[in-house]
Amino acid sequence: MISIDCYAYSNNLKTVHPVEKSLFAMITMVVCLTSPTVITPLIVLALMTGGIVCKAGIPPRVFVKLMLVPLSFLLISVLTIAFSISTNPSGFWLAQTINSVTVGTRYPDLITAVHLFLRSLGAVSCLYFLALTTPMTEIITVLNKMKVPVIITELMVLIYRFIFVFMDTATTIRRAQFSRSGYVSMKGSYRSLSRLFSALLGKVFVKSQELYNSMAARCYTGEIKVLTKKRPVSLRNYLIITGFEIPLILLNLLWR
């Protein structure tokens, strides 16, 4: 999360208007999720990879590492869709029967699983494009312009802040445990891990109270104000977005 925030402030697209980046990411994600063909998600994945790595200047290893995070969850979900267990072996495309129980996959289920996997990867790449190129404060500004309720944007800011507080506190405690040989054995590792969780709850609660006190000392009245730089609006960028989105939409319509 900390590296994502650093790249959001230091990438090559940081000067692009946040509305343009948000519009590009959101429209592309909707087009990807509503795609009836596997071609569109592949194009979206390639497009976002090029935008993140080539245009924004994010290192490829960082993007690959980030994509591996949801990959494990996607694989588990896809496998449950692709494979079935039945006592009736008929209708399976590929199957193995063990003690009158058949485990295998049907062709329509396999196609559905592949389609779902690619659509999910394409949608995740769109979200990563927005997260890696746009700071949280600018995203909040865009949401405020869209008249999103203040309570939602404030919760987003606070949750985003507490993610960093949580990670920093956990890293500090874990480093202290390592320095005291808390993970030299399996038994010691479990003991240290349980103590980490118990200490983390109390420390995060104290940090949250300190955060609220600091906000109250700065005249917090129930609404968090964020200061963002004014970015120039580019007609060229809107034309480029239109040039990318129209072919993808037409591709979806042709395959219906």
Side-chain angles (χ1 to χ4, degrees), residues 192-244:
S192 297
L193 194 61
S194 63
R195 290 176 177 174
L196 185 148
F197 286 131
S198 60
L200 193 60
L201 181 62
K203 286 186 176 293
V204 168
F205 180 77
V206 172
K207 292 275 189 182
S208 65
Q209 190 62 41
E210 291 175 352
L211 178 61
Y212 178 78
N213 292 337
S214 64
M215 291 169 60
R218 291 168 175 81
C219 304
Y220 174 67
T221 58
E223 183 178 353
I224 301 175
K225 303 278 187 183
V226 292
L227 182 64
T228 56
K229 293 182 179 180
K230 290 186 177 181
R231 306 294 186 185
V233 178
S234 173
L235 179 61
R236 176 175 173 271
N237 288 340
Y238 281 107
L239 292 176
I240 292 174
I241 293 172
T242 305
F244 278 126

Side-chain angles (χ1 to χ4, degrees), residues 132-219:
L132 289 167
T133 61
T134 313
M136 186 63 178
T137 53
E138 294 186 355
I139 295 176
I140 295 299
T141 303
V142 173
L143 294 176
N144 288 334
K145 290 181 180 179
M146 296 172 61
K147 305 300 180 183
V148 174
V150 176
I151 185 64
I152 295 178
T153 56
E154 286 194 3
L155 283 174
M156 288 178 60
V157 173
L158 291 174
I159 292 171
Y160 188 73
R161 168 59 184 162
F162 275 112
I163 289 174
F164 290 98
V165 172
F166 189 86
M167 292 179 61
D168 183 61
T169 306
T171 302
T172 303
I173 297 174
R174 185 174 174 81
R175 188 180 296 119
Q177 290 177 332
F178 266 112
S179 67
R180 292 170 175 82
S181 302
Y183 293 90
V184 293
S185 63
M186 183 66 70
K187 183 179 179 180
S189 298
Y190 283 123
R191 188 190 305 115
S192 297
L193 194 61
S194 63
R195 290 176 177 174
L196 185 148
F197 286 131
S198 60
L200 193 60
L201 181 62
K203 286 186 176 293
V204 168
F205 180 77
V206 172
K207 292 275 189 182
S208 65
Q209 190 62 41
E210 291 175 352
L211 178 61
Y212 178 78
N213 292 337
S214 64
M215 291 169 60
R218 291 168 175 81
C219 304

Side-chain angles (χ1 to χ4, degrees), residues 1-223:
M1 285 300 299
I2 295 175
S3 61
I4 291 178
D5 203 53
C6 291
Y7 286 121
Y9 282 97
S10 61
N11 68 90
N12 297 336
L13 297 177
K14 61 180 181 294
T15 58
V16 178
H17 200 285
V19 173
E20 298 168 3
K21 291 182 286 188
S22 302
L23 191 67
F24 175 60
M26 292 299 104
I27 293 179
T28 307
M29 185 175 67
V30 172
V31 171
C32 179
L33 290 175
T34 57
S35 167
T37 172
V38 297
I39 299 176
T40 303
L42 289 174
I43 295 175
V44 169
L45 184 59
L47 182 64
M48 290 301 167
T49 302
I52 292 171
V53 176
C54 301
K55 196 66 179 176
I58 307 299
R61 59 179 178 79
V62 174
F63 178 63
V64 172
K65 190 181 295 185
L66 289 173
M67 290 297 292
L68 289 176
V69 175
L71 194 62
S72 56
F73 300 100
L74 285 176
L75 286 176
I76 295 173
S77 303
V78 165
L79 288 176
T80 57
I81 295 173
F83 289 92
S84 304
I85 301 175
S86 176
T87 55
N88 184 9
S90 62
F92 282 95
W93 187 50
L94 293 173
Q96 179 67 41
T97 302
I98 303 173
N99 295 331
S100 72
V101 176
T102 302
V103 179
T105 179
R106 296 179 175 89
Y107 186 76
D109 294 340
L110 182 62
I111 296 299
T112 301
V114 171
H115 196 179
L116 178 63
F117 179 76
L118 293 176
R119 281 194 296 183
S120 301
L121 276 185
V124 168
S125 67
C126 294
L127 293 177
Y128 276 139
F129 175 84
L130 185 62
L132 289 167
T133 61
T134 313
M136 186 63 178
T137 53
E138 294 186 355
I139 295 176
I140 295 299
T141 303
V142 173
L143 294 176
N144 288 334
K145 290 181 180 179
M146 296 172 61
K147 305 300 180 183
V148 174
V150 176
I151 185 64
I152 295 178
T153 56
E154 286 194 3
L155 283 174
M156 288 178 60
V157 173
L158 291 174
I159 292 171
Y160 188 73
R161 168 59 184 162
F162 275 112
I163 289 174
F164 290 98
V165 172
F166 189 86
M167 292 179 61
D168 183 61
T169 306
T171 302
T172 303
I173 297 174
R174 185 174 174 81
R175 188 180 296 119
Q177 290 177 332
F178 266 112
S179 67
R180 292 170 175 82
S181 302
Y183 293 90
V184 293
S185 63
M186 183 66 70
K187 183 179 179 180
S189 298
Y190 283 123
R191 188 190 305 115
S192 297
L193 194 61
S194 63
R195 290 176 177 174
L196 185 148
F197 286 131
S198 60
L200 193 60
L201 181 62
K203 286 186 176 293
V204 168
F205 180 77
V206 172
K207 292 275 189 182
S208 65
Q209 190 62 41
E210 291 175 352
L211 178 61
Y212 178 78
N213 292 337
S214 64
M215 291 169 60
R218 291 168 175 81
C219 304
Y220 174 67
T221 58
E223 183 178 353

